[in-house]
Amino acid sequence: MSILIINGPNLNLLGTREPAIYGHETLSDVENTAKSLASSHGLSLETFQSNHEGAIIDRIHEAAGFGPQGDGQRHIDWIIINPGALTHTSVGLRDALNGVSIPFVECHISNVHTREEFRHKSFLSDKAVAVIAGLGTFGYEAAVNFVARKIKAGK
């Protein structure tokens, strides 16, 4: 069973961008921790980050076996996604996640509901199996553990 973690725009700057909000861990730190945790559950975990909406949508399609090299077979069982600012703007991202029917967890490092008003609206939350916000980078670990439980329960 496999999990794909997708990180959206500016998350490549983790550890240096607004550390008071996002902390000092780098994206590489977060990814390595998540991979180790997934492995301890007997799961494989892939990661992907892009600052480009289209590249993220393409990766979601590839996870479901679609795209230029696609074989039509689903390759990923669950997605954990921190869409960054695309959370609040991207109908295309919403449509991609709906179109592939891969269950997903929406994950945010900060509590978006205590920040600027425009961050309170998510185009994904109503389609997500779960939403994690405000746990810092530990939110990724919580998401991996949640997905592992769901997989073990056959859901």
Side-chain angles (χ1 to χ4, degrees):
M1 300 297 278
S2 59
I3 303 169
L4 171 63
I5 293 181
I6 298 175
N7 282 289
N10 300 310
L11 286 156
N12 57 304
L13 299 177
L14 273 181
T16 59
R17 175 184 174 221
E18 299 178 90
I21 294 173
Y22 300 108
H24 294 282
E25 279 188 282
T26 67
L27 183 57
S28 181
D29 295 334
V30 170
E31 291 173 342
N32 289 335
T33 299
K35 285 178 183 176
S36 177
L37 183 57
S39 180
S40 76
H41 287 292
L43 305 171
S44 66
L45 187 140
E46 299 176 29
T47 61
F48 179 79
Q49 188 278 326
S50 181
N51 294 317
H52 304 282
E53 181 178 17
I56 294 169
I57 290 170
D58 287 344
R59 184 63 186 97
I60 291 167
H61 291 179
E62 288 171 18
F66 302 111
Q69 311 302 319
D71 57 8
Q73 300 296 314
R74 190 161 119 182
H75 301 278
I76 298 293
D77 298 295
W78 278 80
I79 294 173
I80 296 168
I81 184 167
N82 182 342
L86 296 176
T87 304
H88 323 290
T89 63
S90 182
V91 174
L93 184 55
R94 175 190 174 90
D95 289 349
L97 288 163
N98 280 339
V100 299
S101 300
I102 297 173
F104 71 96
V105 174
E106 181 181 346
C107 184
H108 299 282
I109 295 168
S110 68
N111 182 350
V112 293
H113 303 289
T114 63
R115 298 186 62 199
E116 303 93 339
E117 180 71 29
F118 70 87
R119 294 187 195 276
H120 298 184
K121 169 67 176 152
S122 168
F123 281 98
L124 309 179
S125 292
D126 67 317
K127 298 299 181 182
V129 174
V131 178
I132 296 170
L135 298 181
T137 56
F138 175 74
Y140 290 90
E141 294 173 58
V144 170
N145 282 326
F146 173 81
V147 169
R149 282 185 175 207
K150 290 298 228 178
I151 288 172
K152 287 176 184 169
K155 297 179 182 180

